[in-house]
Amino acid sequence: MARVLSGIQPSGDLHLGNYFGAVRNWVQDQDVADAYFCIVDLHALTLSIDPEVLRRQTLDAACVLLAAGLDPQRCTLFVQSHVPAHQQLTWLLECTATMGELRRMTQFKDKGGGQESVRVGLFTYPVLMAADILLYDADQVPVGDDQRQHLELTREIAGRFNHRYGETFTIPSATIPKVGARVMDLQAPERKMSKSSGSPLGTVGIMDPPAEIIRKVKKAVTDTDGIVAWDPAGKPGVTNLLSLLGAATGQDPTTLAEDYQRYGDLKGAVSEALIEALAPLQARYAELQADLSGVIDILRAGSDQASSVASSTYLRAADAVGLLRP
Ligand code: TYM
């Protein structure tokens, strides 16, 4: 059975990009793979975040993931900082990756490259991500399109380590969905939907109530020619709406345009489909919020299971580089 690992930052309300690009696919992976999913709280420290907010959002992310359908009987769900091997392996990998490689990461450039005040952790972020993946000998890493470059770097680092010290790590591959891999901001469809850098009106949260979804979709930017057509370069706003409709209904988004004559009709269909897709998840989320101690128990069991795998991989890597066993 293939091993799958993926992660998500506890950066507040998760949005449609997180859902269609990643989380929804994780739910399917549980049935066909040995699946590990990680709430990456250490990654959230690369940008300014209030300590209480981080704690609350970490637990909240667990509730959202469980509500979305992750099942602790079928996958391992855990918090990154609960498994110390992530930080331990990161150092070994930081001594493998190069400055030049990290400088080329577009996410770093977008989020703060060039400023002297930028946190070192934002620069080395992709190395921690590589440790997350390599510790579990993951074959597949289901992510949205924006993580493609980080996965390439992970493969590069793993290959170099293996070459230098002997076969230690499994080389992972990214699994990027056909539909929903790049959900765009409804207000600025040339930019990806993002909690940290997107517009509030252009970002639809997984927990947004129906009225909020209708309002945001109604205000989504389209264009002035009034023709519903799939045209990513020429009509990014309309194409994004078609893509959301495809992701929410399971239909091919490139052919959906034929069913709609006007933008208003398309937007109505998009809101309706999103509300329907999110309703069960929102109901389960409310139940989980009422039993947070149950959620904490799930995370504790998850970190025990994750630690047993991660600590043995770390020891393998520590032995390989020549660290003396304690
Ligand atoms: P994060 O927390 O930004 O996003 C979590 C997942 O959601 C996907 N995603 C999107 N997909 C489609 N359209 C969008 N607009 C969109 N926005 C986000 C992301 O691709 C991701 O799959 N570095 C990672 C977290 C991470 C990780 C890992 C992932 C840390 N360690 C190990 C995989 C394996 C991140 O910041 O994702």
Side-chain angles (χ1 to χ4, degrees), residues 93-94 96-104 123 153 157 160:
L93 301 183
E94 280 178 0
T96 306
T98 67
M99 293 287 286
E101 277 170 336
L102 294 185
R103 240 187 246 117
R104 283 194 287 279
F123 186 62
L153 177 71
I157 295 175
R160 188 174 312 142

Side-chain angles (χ1 to χ4, degrees), residues 16-302:
L16 292 180
N18 299 134
Y19 186 59
F20 291 130
V23 175
R24 186 175 65 162
N25 309 310
W26 301 355
V27 176
Q28 286 161 10
D29 288 333
Q30 306 178 104
D31 292 323
V32 291
D34 180 17
Y36 285 72
F37 301 112
C38 176
I39 299 167
V40 296
D41 52 348
L42 298 170
H43 277 107
L45 294 174
T46 56
L47 299 175
S48 169
I49 183 160
D50 178 85
E52 268 318 308
V53 171
L54 175 58
R55 245 186 299 276
R56 180 162 40 77
Q57 286 181 176
T58 302
L59 198 50
D60 196 60
C63 292
V64 175
L65 295 177
L66 292 166
L70 292 193
D71 172 1
Q73 304 302 324
R74 292 183 287 152
C75 74
T76 300
L77 174 64
F78 66 102
V79 175
Q80 184 187 37
S81 69
H82 295 178
V83 181
H86 290 244
Q87 297 178 67
Q88 293 173 299
L89 183 63
T90 296
W91 180 253
L92 303 191
L93 301 183
E94 280 178 0
C95 295
T96 306
T98 67
M99 293 287 286
E101 277 170 336
L102 294 185
R103 240 187 246 117
R104 283 194 287 279
M105 294 294 113
T106 53
Q107 278 210 351
F108 172 68
K109 291 191 224 165
D110 293 348
K111 284 192 180 167
Q115 295 165 34
E116 281 297 308
S117 59
V118 75
R119 297 174 189 209
V120 175
L122 190 64
F123 186 62
T124 58
Y125 176 117
V127 186
L128 176 58
M129 175 161 165
D132 298 340
I133 297 166
L134 299 180
L135 278 174
Y136 297 88
D137 286 318
D139 303 295
Q140 305 284 334
V141 184
V143 283
D145 186 68
D146 61 344
Q147 299 300 320
R148 203 185 278 273
Q149 198 188 26
H150 290 157
L151 254 296
E152 276 310 311
L153 177 71
T154 303
R155 291 165 58 86
E156 199 60 42
I157 295 175
R160 188 174 312 142
F161 192 103
N162 286 350
H163 183 68
R164 203 175 274 168
Y165 302 110
E167 284 305 310
T168 307
F169 298 123
T170 301
I171 310 284
S173 307
T175 330
I176 296 174
K178 283 202 183 66
V179 182
R182 201 165 177 78
V183 175
M184 308 309 273
D185 188 296
L186 296 183
Q187 287 297 305
E190 66 290 345
R191 282 205 317 253
K192 68 171 182 178
M193 189 175 282
S194 157
K195 185 71 191 170
S196 57
S197 57
S199 61
L201 193 59
T203 307
V204 179
I206 297 181
M207 291 302 151
D208 277 1
E212 193 67 3
I213 296 176
I214 292 170
R215 185 176 77 92
K216 289 177 180 173
V217 172
K218 214 177 239 169
K219 290 201 176 333
V221 167
T222 49
D223 49 44
T224 50
D225 72 14
I227 299 166
V228 180
W230 176 266
D231 177 0
K235 301 172 75 68
V238 175
T239 301
N240 190 35
L241 289 171
L242 288 166
S243 166
L244 282 173
L245 186 57
T249 59
Q251 291 169 279
D252 177 358
T254 60
T255 58
L256 278 170
E258 295 154 17
D259 302 341
Y260 301 93
Q261 308 310 319
R262 298 182 325 180
Y263 292 165
D265 297 340
L266 172 63
K267 287 180 168 182
V270 171
S271 317
E272 204 176 304
L274 290 176
I275 291 167
E276 198 180 310
L278 297 176
L281 189 155
Q282 296 186 351
R284 281 198 296 272
Y285 174 80
E287 290 165 20
L288 287 155
Q289 284 288 324
D291 175 27
L292 288 179
S293 67
V295 175
I296 289 169
D297 287 345
I298 291 170
L299 293 177
R300 193 173 295 128

